[in-house]
Amino acid sequence: MNFDRIKEKLSILADAAKYDVSCSSSGSQRKNSNKGLGDSSGMGICHSYTEDGRCVSLLKILLTNHCIFDCAYCVTRKSNDIKRAAFKVQEVVDLTINFYRRNYIEGLFLSSGIFKDADYTMERLIQVAKKLRLEENFNGYIHLKSIPGASDELMREAGLYADRLSVNIEIPTKSGLKMLAPDKNHDDFIKPMEKVKNEIIQYKQESKLLKSTPTYAPAGQSTQMIVGASGESDRDIMYSANFFYKKYDMRRVYYSGYVPVASDPRLPSIGSAVPVLRENRLYQTDWLLRFYGFDVREILNNDFLNLELDIDPKLSWALRNRHLFPVDVNTVEKQLLLRVPGIGLKSVNKILQARKFRNLTWDHLKRIGIASNRAKYFLTCNSGENELKEYSSENLKQIILKNSVSKFRNTLSPQLSLF
Ligand code: SF4
């Protein structure tokens, strides 16, 4: 083995993979039952993200950064003049096992540019996973990227060896995709998602009847959208995400701020990266849809196309719906309690438990851990009194902002930081 060449390939192909943020490894139940290597359950794979979004507990690489496509937003596009490299299947297997044995990683995240065609590339990705599972007895976490346009048969096979599969939709709208990746077909993304969803359902049903049924993609599927490459509003992005959650049972949708990598009139100019705060607000909205019972149209709609950057989306919604507040913490139903700014899911459950035994006061709520600097304007404790209810929403927002310490204060400040 030529170690220098492998090192060089690793440096090129790990760097090319850093733009993909969809590598969370939660939710897999693969057990080490054959005395093999690794165990993606129980031990708890930790996810550690570097500043540029890489999950460092997984070996995160591309099989190759050669690509027949020319997607304008992608550093790997064929017209980009960069160093190219490709791993052989066995090289990725050896690297994974060696890194695993040295305790550097707990699993593999493998994506790829498209070599010759979708099936040819997908076959190679599957070969890596298959060799790791069958020849090396590897039970660690494997996340495989599905190549848009890969055949149903290959998608079926991929899920037998991978914990998670993902197809990155990349551009949230069909029109954006057409503009930035005219060679690509929107249906080529949708077909593998549909296939994976159906296979997961089918394998689950079969396993109820037949204990020996193999697991199929036990950590489900995910997708990633690039934010800010093609001018979509937050409404467009979250409507797409909502569609993918509902229609294809996505475990996660990831939002990745576009990093300008090309001078192209169709794209934002180099140096104008998407603020990290926009990504953050999209993730908060995603959370509200999945765990807080919000409908996407309540948060974003024709009158409200983009999320406010200076306040979180729940507070923003509450300020637009003051007629629903204040609510009494001792009597309000769960659905509305979840919508009170400053109260998270865990606190809601604690409140519901605690109020079975006594009437709660602000002292109790502070001990439970709610953020009273926001909640106190929307909540009462038996008294019917709440602070500043006569203030307009805009005034209230300014008061809350003044009394809050945001970790994003520097990002939001219009003034230059001098120190
Ligand atoms: S197909 Fe994938 S790897 Fe190739 S240019 Fe498009 S986004 Fe990049």
Side-chain angles (χ1 to χ4, degrees):
M1 192 188 278
N2 181 340
F3 287 106
D4 287 340
R5 181 59 190 141
I6 294 286
K7 223 169 131 187
E8 192 188 3
K9 284 188 195 181
L10 190 58
S11 134
I12 295 169
L13 295 171
D15 190 62
K18 74 182 178 193
Y19 297 98
D20 200 319
V21 297
S22 58
C23 68
S24 151
S25 57
S26 52
S28 180
Q29 294 298 317
R30 185 180 298 279
K31 294 260 190 309
N32 186 343
S33 50
N34 54 359
K35 294 204 165 57
L37 267 179
D39 188 340
S40 75
S41 67
M43 299 286 284
I45 291 172
C46 70
H47 323 122
S48 174
Y49 291 91
T50 58
E51 261 190 322
D52 59 1
R54 289 181 61 211
C55 176
V56 291
S57 64
L58 305 176
L59 171 60
K60 183 177 176 183
I61 48 173
L62 300 190
L63 189 61
T64 180
N65 66 343
H66 288 280
C67 192
I68 55 171
F69 285 102
D70 204 33
C71 310
Y73 48 82
C74 178
V75 74
T76 302
R77 68 193 183 281
K78 71 175 174 199
S79 64
N80 200 14
D81 184 16
I82 51 167
K83 265 192 172 176
R84 305 276 172 176
F87 277 124
K88 293 179 185 143
V89 167
Q90 192 59 44
E91 287 172 342
V92 179
V93 172
D94 292 343
L95 272 176
T96 308
I97 295 300
N98 283 320
F99 280 12
Y100 190 87
R101 289 209 167 109
R102 285 171 171 78
N103 236 355
Y104 296 162
I105 56 158
E106 290 143 301
L108 171 68
F109 173 92
L110 186 61
S111 181
S112 184
I114 302 177
F115 277 111
K116 217 156 88 180
D117 58 43
D119 278 355
Y120 182 87
T121 312
M122 194 69 217
E123 263 171 36
R124 265 138 200 83
L125 296 178
I126 294 169
Q127 275 175 29
V128 172
K130 196 169 174 177
K131 269 177 173 277
L132 280 167
R133 295 288 190 226
L134 302 186
E135 293 176 18
E136 304 290 342
N137 267 344
F138 181 72
N139 290 291
Y141 184 82
I142 298 179
H143 180 158
L144 285 189
K145 289 316 281 291
S146 314
I147 303 298
S151 70
D152 280 1
E153 189 43 46
L154 288 173
M155 290 312 300
R156 197 192 63 79
E157 201 183 356
L160 295 175
Y161 304 111
D163 292 277
R164 173 165 285 184
L165 293 168
S166 58
V167 191
N168 283 355
I169 193 76
E170 304 290 18
I171 300 297
T173 58
K174 276 189 188 178
S175 54
L177 188 72
K178 209 167 171 195
M179 174 176 74
L180 297 175
D183 310 332
K184 277 186 164 170
N185 183 350
H186 190 257
D187 289 347
D188 285 346
F189 294 95
I190 298 301
K191 254 185 67 200
M193 286 181 188
E194 182 88 48
K195 177 71 182 166
V196 171
K197 177 192 147 187
N198 291 338
E199 291 290 342
I200 289 173
I201 295 171
Q202 198 182 325
Y203 273 87
K204 269 191 188 148
Q205 281 169 351
E206 278 175 23
S207 71
K208 284 182 197 153
L209 302 172
L210 205 62
K211 254 194 147 186
S212 57
T213 305
T215 52
Y216 182 90
Q221 60 175 333
S222 61
T223 190
Q224 169 181 294
M225 282 190 265
I226 298 175
V227 176
S230 46
E232 286 89 1
S233 64
D234 291 342
R235 181 200 58 178
D236 297 334
I237 294 166
M238 290 315 305
Y239 279 31
S240 282
N242 191 49
F243 171 78
F244 289 116
Y245 277 125
K246 295 220 157 117
K247 183 102 200 255
Y248 301 108
D249 289 342
M250 286 290 152
R251 284 285 177 91
R252 289 296 305 272
V253 175
Y254 293 88
Y255 310 92
S256 170
Y258 173 63
V259 180
V261 290
S263 295
D264 185 314
R266 293 169 295 174
L267 288 164
S269 56
I270 288 182
S272 60
V274 172
V276 74
L277 195 48
R278 185 172 178 202
E279 267 180 45
N280 187 276
R281 296 296 181 225
L282 290 169
Y283 277 114
Q284 287 174 325
T285 307
D286 182 291
W287 216 252
L288 293 181
L289 303 186
R290 290 191 296 138
F291 302 113
Y292 287 77
F294 279 87
D295 184 287
V296 67
R297 288 162 299 188
E298 293 179 275
I299 303 173
L300 291 158
N301 47 52
N302 288 346
D303 298 326
F304 205 75
L305 290 175
N306 289 299
L307 299 164
E308 294 180 85
L309 288 185
D310 52 357
I311 54 172
D312 68 76
K314 186 152 67 146
L315 177 57
S316 171
W317 173 85
L319 287 170
R320 282 178 275 142
N321 289 278
R322 297 272 305 282
H323 59 283
L324 297 173
F325 300 103
V327 291
D328 191 314
V329 73
N330 288 301
T331 54
V332 64
E333 74 274 27
K334 181 177 182 182
Q335 193 201 11
L336 195 48
L337 188 56
L338 278 165
R339 292 171 173 236
V340 175
I343 305 187
L345 197 55
K346 275 190 190 162
S347 297
V348 165
N349 289 331
K350 283 184 192 167
I351 288 169
L352 293 178
Q353 271 304 318
R355 78 183 189 185
K356 284 183 191 162
F357 304 101
R358 63 188 309 160
N359 262 350
L360 302 179
T361 63
W362 280 107
D363 256 4
H364 295 128
L365 294 181
K366 277 178 195 157
R367 266 183 272 148
I368 280 173
I370 73 158
S372 58
N373 62 336
R374 272 169 287 154
K376 68 184 177 189
Y377 305 113
F378 303 91
L379 202 63
T380 60
C381 291
N382 298 318
S383 71
E385 289 296 312
N386 93 307
E387 289 199 35
L388 307 177
K389 63 181 172 210
E390 70 281 7
Y391 276 59
S392 73
S393 290
E394 185 50 38
N395 284 343
L396 193 48
K397 175 177 162 180
Q398 293 312 324
I399 291 167
I400 292 172
L401 279 174
K402 207 170 137 212
N403 296 325
S404 306
V405 183
S406 167
K407 60 183 172 183
F408 299 114
R409 180 162 278 179
N410 287 342
T411 321
L412 288 166
S413 170
Q415 287 195 317
L416 285 174
S417 171
L418 296 176
F419 302 101

